[in-house]
Amino acid sequence: MIRSFVLGVLLSALLIAIGVVALGKPNLPAAGAVFSGGFVTTGDAIAAVEVVAWLVLVAAAIFVLALSMRAAATTTVLTYRRWSRGVLFLVLGICILGIGMARVHEAATTGCCGNIVEATNLAG
């Protein structure tokens, strides 16, 4: 049963490492701009989604560690644990891929100069 615990620790570490590579460091000030009530840019919205993704990622890693510790403490292995871990990682992987694609698309379409406040002031 120690093998199950070690596997859970390795999977959790892999999940966090993938998050670091794919999502990078979360931009908390930009994510906070979404909830401040001002103008929201695409970058701000993506930053808010990245913060939520990090929260889900950490919660999933804790969940996998808890399942691994439970499996190490018991002598019976239930089959649902094996496929539920796989489904969890598949769903999180798809979410991380989607956020990475949004980040790449946002970087390709962001204007180079100025911001929304300046544009609004100039327009009227």
Side-chain angles (χ1 to χ4, degrees), residues 79-102:
T79 57
Y80 77 89
R81 289 184 184 154
R82 290 184 182 160
W83 67 263
S84 64
R85 239 186 250 159
V87 168
L88 177 69
F89 277 94
L90 179 66
V91 169
L92 285 173
I94 290 171
C95 290
I96 291 172
L97 178 65
I99 293 169
M101 290 173 57

Side-chain angles (χ1 to χ4, degrees), residues 7-29:
L7 181 63
V9 170
L10 289 176
L11 287 175
S12 295
L14 178 66
L15 183 62
I16 297 295
I18 288 171
V20 168
V21 170
L23 299 176
K25 182 180 167 187
N27 188 355
L28 296 177

Side-chain angles (χ1 to χ4, degrees), residues 44-87:
D44 295 342
I46 290 175
V49 170
E50 286 176 352
V51 168
V52 171
W54 267 111
L55 291 174
V56 170
L57 196 81
V58 170
I62 291 170
F63 178 72
V64 168
L65 283 176
L67 281 180
S68 300
M69 288 177 14
R70 183 175 176 204
T74 61
T75 56
T76 60
V77 177
L78 299 175
T79 57
Y80 77 89
R81 289 184 184 154
R82 290 184 182 160
W83 67 263
S84 64
R85 239 186 250 159
V87 168

